[in-house]
Amino acid sequence: MTAPPEFLTKLLDRYNESGSQSRPNVTLTFAQSLDAKIAGKGGKQLILSGKESMIMTHWMRTMHDGILVGIGTALNDDPQLNTRLLPPREPNPSLNGHNNPYHLPRPIILDMALRLSPQCKLLKNYSDGRGRRPWVVCAEPTADDDKVDWLARRKALEGAGARTVVLAPGPYADGLIPISDVLESLHALGIRSLMVEGGAQVIRSFFQGAKFVNTVIVTVAPTFVGEDGVSYNASLAEMASLLRCAASGISVFCPHTALDCTWGGINDWLAEGVLGTNDVGFVSPLEGEKFSRNGESEGALGRMVTFRTPIPMDVLEKRIKEHLKLPQIQVGYSAVEPSKPVKTVAICAGSGGSVFKGKTADVYFTGEMQHHEVLAAVAADTHVILCGHTNTERGYLPTLATKLDSQLRTAAFSETFDVVISETDKHPLQFV
Ligand SMILES: NC(=O)C1=CN([C@@H]2O[C@H](COP(=O)(O)OP(=O)(O)OC[C@H]3O[C@@H](n4cnc5c(N)ncnc54)[C@H](OP(=O)(O)O)[C@@H]3O)[C@@H](O)[C@H]2O)C=CC1
Ligand SMILES: Nc1nc(O)c(N)c(N[C@@H]2O[C@H](COP(=O)(O)O)[C@@H](O)[C@H]2O)n1
């Protein structure tokens, strides 16, 4: 193969279209075992990717402006972050500024305390003309006592060829540089696309701010590392049902938020229940309507139901109970006007607190919200209806089953199949 695989170009070409944002497009990529470990005991580097997957990773490296790892990875693995697995070809130093045959992403290390070794391979490759100058993202220590050592390490790293990107001194929450600050600084320095390769702590930070990540590419090796391995997230116990499915040869596809957002998805099903059969009103996107490349609307975060004539809260409550088949729901009434009639209902399946932020509606209807989000809403004259996270999703399953059945039949599957709704899967909490 002499060019990147087509699926990568299709995925990553869309970065060229994004306009005037203040952060680079981010591809988060790593390799893990079936039990979500990315390294062995004590951080032992593991070969989890097969040859083809490693080559794919090296192609990906040619398709980004920058490649970021945490200092934990830089110290543990001493990575090169280059493209040495790609087919040989002539270097083009006048175009690339180095003797590597392919475009190399700028190596970027998150290293608040400047622990990177001046002898590391990234700096050695740069001084040998085989790599690009690494950038070390750091922050000045807050304590005067630490500054002398920090400045000495900075001098040593810069002497070895590194460029230090110094962010405002902390203190930072959890002692980590905020990812938003990192991304904004890199964007200001011309990085428009960033590949993030790990390790565990960095993956966790990028996943926590899901809005930072545009693409996730994970290689899953068909192996178990065990509890001693380095994990970025879920423990074996949390993944028990997933692993049982894998062991029985069952593939799992988990649509999650996409199924909430898509037209005809869970939020539209909730909106149907809110509108009822007698009232006149309309449903609109609550936020972030998304369009396909050819301009078709694909869905949006949440929905807003607007009634032509306002209805009383007790009518809405009854309607929601019937639609979700629930004997009880939780209601918080507006602290300003507790009996305020309802003209608009903002809807979000699951956990709606963050989606509702800044949205004006007479009612917020979702599965769960944080205590302080509820307090803020009722104080701001909004009624709140909470039905439990999974209760706002589970009732959609018969609708989904019908859709799947008809889609699979239209696709003219040669195999016979049944679409079955689980009878054992249920809400994990009960009223006692
Ligand atoms: N299988 C795979 O694909 C990969 C596996 N790995 C494995 O991962 C392991 C290393 O992971 P880990 O030890 O967690 O180290 P990381 O590489 O994730 O680096 C974490 C360090 O980066 C610095 N940092 C600064 N800001 C942040 C931030 N916002 N979020 C996260 N980190 C920040 C911190 O150090 P400081 O405060 O000093 O700045 C932090 O301790 C190794 O065993 C390696 O082999 C690594 C990459 C890929
Ligand atoms: N994709 C992938 N598969 C594995 O099995 C891995 N162990 C890693 N590790 C990452 O690659 C870095 C090493 O890069 P170089 O080979 O030195 O170029 C390592 O530091 C991890 O980031 N990746």
Side-chain angles (χ1 to χ4, degrees):
M1 189 188 292
T2 54
E6 197 186 339
F7 89 92
L8 275 186
T9 24
K10 272 193 182 150
L11 257 180
L12 302 179
D13 270 1
R14 73 190 204 284
Y15 290 177
N16 302 328
E17 294 162 13
S18 30
S20 61
Q21 47 186 21
S22 58
R23 295 176 187 152
N25 286 295
V26 172
T27 308
L28 179 58
T29 180
F30 55 90
Q32 68 161 64
S33 59
L34 281 175
D35 51 344
K37 307 294 176 195
I38 61 164
K41 188 176 177 180
K44 184 177 184 302
Q45 198 178 5
L46 298 176
I47 306 301
L48 291 162
S49 299
K51 188 175 154 220
E52 289 79 6
S53 170
M54 275 320 303
I55 292 174
M56 173 198 72
T57 300
H58 283 218
W59 278 120
M60 245 192 289
R61 289 175 177 177
T62 68
M63 300 163 86
H64 290 83
D65 294 339
I67 182 166
L68 179 146
V69 292
I71 183 63
T73 299
L75 294 176
N76 192 77
D77 299 355
D78 196 9
Q80 302 196 62
L81 309 177
N82 59 18
T83 59
R84 62 194 180 280
L85 297 180
L86 300 185
R89 71 178 194 195
E90 281 304 306
N92 190 345
S94 58
L95 181 73
N96 290 329
H98 51 68
N99 275 323
N100 193 75
Y102 291 87
H103 161 80
L104 278 178
R106 167 84 54 202
I108 299 161
I109 301 103
L110 275 189
D111 180 15
M112 184 119 81
L114 295 178
R115 292 186 283 144
L116 185 68
S117 163
Q119 283 80 43
C120 70
K121 285 184 187 156
L122 286 171
L123 283 165
K124 190 162 182 330
N125 286 347
Y126 172 59
S127 64
D128 292 349
R130 286 180 293 123
R132 299 185 71 183
R133 177 192 287 268
W135 291 356
V136 185
V137 180
C138 54
E140 254 190 66
T142 39
D144 282 345
D145 291 355
D146 300 335
K147 268 192 195 145
V148 177
D149 276 356
W150 187 87
L151 286 170
R153 285 197 296 280
R154 181 176 175 186
K155 198 167 167 205
L157 281 174
E158 288 178 348
R163 171 176 179 179
T164 50
V165 177
V166 187
L167 303 186
Y172 294 118
D174 307 323
L176 300 173
I177 306 172
I179 297 299
S180 52
D181 290 6
V182 173
L183 293 178
E184 274 154 30
S185 303
L186 294 178
H187 190 270
L189 292 170
I191 302 289
R192 296 290 178 266
S193 57
L194 182 68
M195 178 166 163
V196 176
E197 275 211 32
Q201 181 89 61
V202 165
I203 296 169
R204 230 177 346 258
S205 294
F206 272 85
F207 270 140
Q208 271 164 11
K211 287 186 179 161
F212 302 141
V213 179
N214 303 82
T215 311
V216 182
I217 299 182
V218 184
T219 297
V220 183
T223 182
F224 287 89
V225 170
E227 286 297 290
D228 287 343
V230 174
S231 174
Y232 61 91
N233 197 342
S235 73
L236 208 55
E238 284 172 87
M239 297 193 300
S241 54
L242 182 66
L243 294 173
R244 275 207 303 278
C245 286
S248 314
I250 300 172
S251 307
V252 177
F253 169 61
C254 181
H256 203 244
T257 314
L259 193 58
D260 298 345
C261 298
T262 189
W263 300 125
I266 302 182
N267 282 322
D268 281 325
W269 169 75
L270 292 173
E272 267 169 40
V274 165
L275 259 177
T277 43
N278 299 328
D279 280 304
V280 179
F282 63 91
V283 182
S284 52
L286 187 62
E287 183 188 312
E289 189 171 1
K290 288 268 187 286
F291 294 88
S292 69
R293 275 169 190 251
N294 43 20
E296 278 167 38
S297 176
E298 294 186 319
L301 267 182
R303 301 287 184 268
M304 180 76 92
V305 166
T306 306
F307 296 108
R308 188 188 286 169
T309 314
I311 61 167
M313 260 302 264
D314 60 343
V315 171
L316 180 64
E317 290 159 7
K318 186 161 177 286
R319 210 173 266 179
I320 287 176
K321 279 189 195 171
E322 275 168 14
H323 193 62
L324 303 191
K325 298 190 175 56
L326 293 174
Q328 289 167 314
I329 57 177
Q330 287 186 297
V331 182
Y333 295 104
S334 156
V336 181
E337 190 188 345
S339 57
K340 184 170 80 156
V342 179
K343 171 119 173 116
T344 51
V345 183
I347 299 173
C348 181
S351 182
S354 58
V355 176
F356 294 149
K357 220 174 212 160
K359 305 287 183 313
T360 306
D362 296 324
V363 179
Y364 290 162
F365 165 34
T366 182
E368 60 185 348
M369 282 168 70
Q370 288 178 6
H371 175 68
H372 290 99
E373 290 169 343
V374 175
L375 287 180
V378 295
D381 198 17
T382 305
H383 304 303
V384 172
I385 298 184
L386 303 183
C387 299
H389 190 116
T390 186
N391 292 332
T392 55
E393 301 166 339
R394 219 164 271 269
Y396 177 75
L397 288 175
T399 311
L400 179 63
T402 310
K403 281 177 189 279
L404 270 179
D405 193 275
S406 95
Q407 291 282 320
L408 290 171
R409 273 175 221 291
T410 330
F413 263 39
S414 53
E415 291 170 42
T416 54
F417 63 86
D418 287 315
V419 177
V420 181
I421 298 176
S422 168
E423 287 172 12
T424 50
D425 175 56
K426 58 178 190 314
H427 196 305
L429 295 173
Q430 303 177 26
F431 287 101
V432 290

